[in-house]
């Protein structure tokens, strides 16, 4: 008799992610990466040649149901592959006893057979609000852990429900296609972050923990109405499903996939035309920018603003739209001040972007 369907589902998702990690780590003798249909046993053998124990994959685990299910699946699947499996839990220090809780989570991860296991304490700042600040601190800690241990990848437990929430949050901010595309299955430097559960719902992960008798910790912040995502999770999405019927989460996740395809295509187009809208000194030419489709032009502008020093996380659609008006609705406007002390002005038919 095989495992419970929920356990089988999470293990399959992780197996596929590890398959991709092995393929990405595999380098053929002539320097080419392997084709997609390279047999997994060949990947395993070549991984052994590249390192005695194969690549290290870490799981980021808070102790919640999603990440504990992910950790258990990684521990199980890594034993069948040439993959070393470890874990990191991050203590944000935002609740009394958080250090003890992090130590308990680390002990559970060690009991699963993961090694190395590390509990990291971070200091959460205030920039961007509490949720954004905690996220920034967490990812900085995970990046540092990956560098410290030489990890090939870090698995994250985001589910289809999390994806739906992310799309709705982007929609509420009036964001563009890239924001509506939600979280990518693979992201970060060199594809460091992997999200195997984006096609699975939160219930499946929790059920997998239940049938395996895995203890989980439910973060009270996830039910705190002071946090936007919490209100969306417990009030917004249920209200949408009541009004529109079941299937809203699946539809939003599907929207993310479609939006990501569109955003990728538009980003590639913008990168291709970027050199053609600049003069020999690298300045943007307003006339050539004007001739571009709006979606492509704004991507060129956004990239230029970030390159000049405007932080991507603080540069919103309304900022880019104001700069775009220097191209499409020029009436002698003054320079526009942007996050990161970046200034954009139209001067002599050129768009000059400088950091003050």
């Amino acid at each position: 008799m095989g495992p419970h369907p929920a356990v089988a589902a999470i293990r399959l998702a992780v197996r596929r992610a590890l398959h991709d990690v092995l393929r990405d780590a595999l380098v053929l003798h002539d320097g080419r990466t392997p084709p997609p249909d390279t047999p997994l046993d060949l990947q395993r053998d070549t991984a052994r040649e590249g390192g005695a124990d194969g690549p290290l994959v870490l799981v980021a685990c808070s102790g919640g149901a999603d990440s504990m299910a992910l950790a258990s699946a990684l521990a199980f699947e890594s034993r069948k592959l040439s993959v070393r499996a470890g874990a990191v839990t991050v203590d944000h220090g935002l609740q009394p006893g958080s250090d003890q809780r992090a130590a308990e989570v680390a002990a559970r991860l060690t009991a699963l057979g993961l090694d190395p296991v590390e509990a990291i304490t971070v200091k959460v700042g205030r920039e961007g609000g509490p949720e954004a600040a905690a996220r920034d601190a967490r990812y900085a800690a995970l990046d540092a852990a990956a560098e410290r241990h030489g990890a090939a990848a870090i698995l994250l437990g985001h589910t289809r429900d999390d994806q739906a929430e992310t799309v709705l949050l982007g929609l509420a901010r009036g964001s563009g296609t890239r924001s509506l595309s939600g979280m990518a299955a693979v992201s970060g430097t060199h594809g460091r972050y992997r999200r195997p559960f984006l096609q699975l719902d939160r219930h499946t992960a929790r059920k997998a923990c239940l049938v395996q008798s895995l203890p989980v910790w439910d973060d009270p912040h996830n039910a705190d109405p002071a946090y936007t995502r919490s209100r969306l999770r417990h009030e917004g999405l249920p209200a949408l499903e009541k009004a529109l019927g079941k299937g809203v989460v699946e539809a939003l996740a599907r929207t993310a996939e479609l939006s990501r395809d569109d955003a990728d295509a538009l980003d590639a187009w913008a990168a291709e035309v970027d050199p053609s809208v600049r003069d020999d000194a690298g300045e943007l030419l307003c006339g050539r920018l004007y001739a571009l489709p709006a979606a492509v032009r704004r991507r060129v502008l956004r990239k230029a603003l970030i390159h000049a020093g405007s932080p991507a996380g603080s540069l919103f659609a309304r900022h880019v739209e104001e700069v775009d008006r220097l191209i499409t609705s020029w009436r002698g406007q003054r320079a526009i001040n942007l996050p990161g002390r970046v200034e954009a002005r139209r001067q002599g038919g050129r768009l000059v972007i400088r950091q003050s």
Side-chain angles (χ1 to χ4, degrees):
M1 183 177 180
H4 187 278
V7 177
I10 64 169
R11 288 178 179 175
L12 176 59
V14 169
R15 190 181 316 143
R16 288 171 172 166
L18 295 182
H19 187 286
D20 291 340
V21 171
L22 282 170
R23 178 175 290 121
D24 291 346
L26 175 61
V27 178
L28 299 181
H29 296 298
D30 60 2
R32 293 183 298 109
T33 54
D37 57 350
T38 302
L40 187 56
D41 56 352
L42 176 59
Q43 296 181 44
R44 289 197 298 262
D45 293 342
T46 309
R48 289 192 185 98
E49 294 174 7
D53 300 311
L56 171 65
V57 177
L58 300 174
V59 58
C61 184
S62 67
D66 301 340
S67 57
M68 281 302 298
L70 183 59
S72 71
L74 173 61
F76 180 85
E77 293 295 331
S78 65
R79 299 186 191 109
K80 303 190 294 183
L81 302 172
S82 290
V83 174
R84 292 177 293 137
V88 176
T89 185
V90 177
D91 171 20
H92 298 85
L94 298 176
Q95 302 172 35
S98 62
D99 55 342
Q100 180 180 349
R101 192 171 300 110
E104 293 171 354
V105 172
R108 293 171 190 168
L109 296 168
T110 300
L112 287 173
L114 299 174
D115 181 38
V117 172
E118 188 175 5
I120 304 174
T121 301
V122 298
K123 184 176 181 180
V124 177
R126 296 183 178 180
E127 186 175 351
E131 293 169 280
R135 182 176 62 249
D136 290 345
R138 180 167 60 254
Y139 277 100
L142 293 175
D143 281 333
E147 296 293 337
R148 190 162 51 251
H149 295 289
I154 299 178
L155 305 188
L156 304 176
H158 297 121
T159 65
R160 186 169 61 191
D161 301 80
D162 296 307
Q163 185 75 295
E165 293 163 7
T166 300
V167 172
L168 281 177
L169 288 170
L171 186 63
R173 289 193 297 265
S175 302
T177 308
R178 175 58 65 190
S179 183
L180 296 182
S181 65
M183 296 174 286
V186 180
S187 65
T189 305
H190 305 304
R192 170 174 289 164
Y193 292 106
R194 314 280 173 135
R195 297 176 174 86
F197 287 177
L198 287 183
Q199 301 298 322
L200 300 178
D201 60 29
R202 195 172 285 142
H203 174 75
T204 298
R206 185 168 289 275
K207 186 67 174 178
C209 289
L210 179 63
V211 299
Q212 295 178 101
S213 300
L214 291 174
V216 299
W217 172 66
D218 290 316
D219 186 347
H221 282 173
N222 290 335
D224 188 344
Y227 295 95
T228 304
R229 186 177 286 270
S230 175
R231 294 196 302 272
L232 180 60
R233 179 175 302 176
H234 297 286
E235 300 174 23
L237 269 173
L240 280 176
E241 291 206 327
K242 182 178 180 180
L244 302 176
K246 295 294 183 181
V248 170
V249 168
E250 292 85 346
L252 288 168
R254 189 164 58 251
T255 296
E257 290 185 31
L258 296 173
S259 297
R260 183 165 297 280
D261 290 342
D262 291 348
D264 288 344
L266 289 168
D267 285 348
W269 187 354
E272 183 179 349
V273 302
D274 188 283
S276 69
V277 297
R278 296 178 182 272
D279 62 14
D280 293 340
E283 299 288 356
L284 290 166
L285 298 170
C286 296
R288 295 183 185 180
L289 283 168
Y290 184 84
L292 294 176
V296 178
R297 181 175 61 247
R298 289 173 181 172
R299 279 168 166 76
V300 172
L301 295 176
R302 177 177 173 81
K303 181 180 177 182
L305 295 171
I306 292 173
H307 181 74
S310 196
S314 303
L315 189 64
F316 301 135
R318 59 183 173 83
H319 295 129
V320 180
E321 288 169 3
E322 284 298 317
V323 176
D324 192 41
R325 290 191 183 96
L326 295 176
I327 308 299
T328 62
S329 303
W330 173 242
R331 301 184 305 277
Q333 299 99 307
R334 302 173 105 184
I336 297 173
N337 296 316
L338 300 154
R341 303 194 319 277
V342 170
E343 180 184 90
R345 69 168 65 242
R346 181 163 174 159
Q347 185 176 328
R350 289 169 173 77
L351 185 68
V352 180
I353 301 173
R354 295 283 187 271
Q355 191 171 41
S356 59

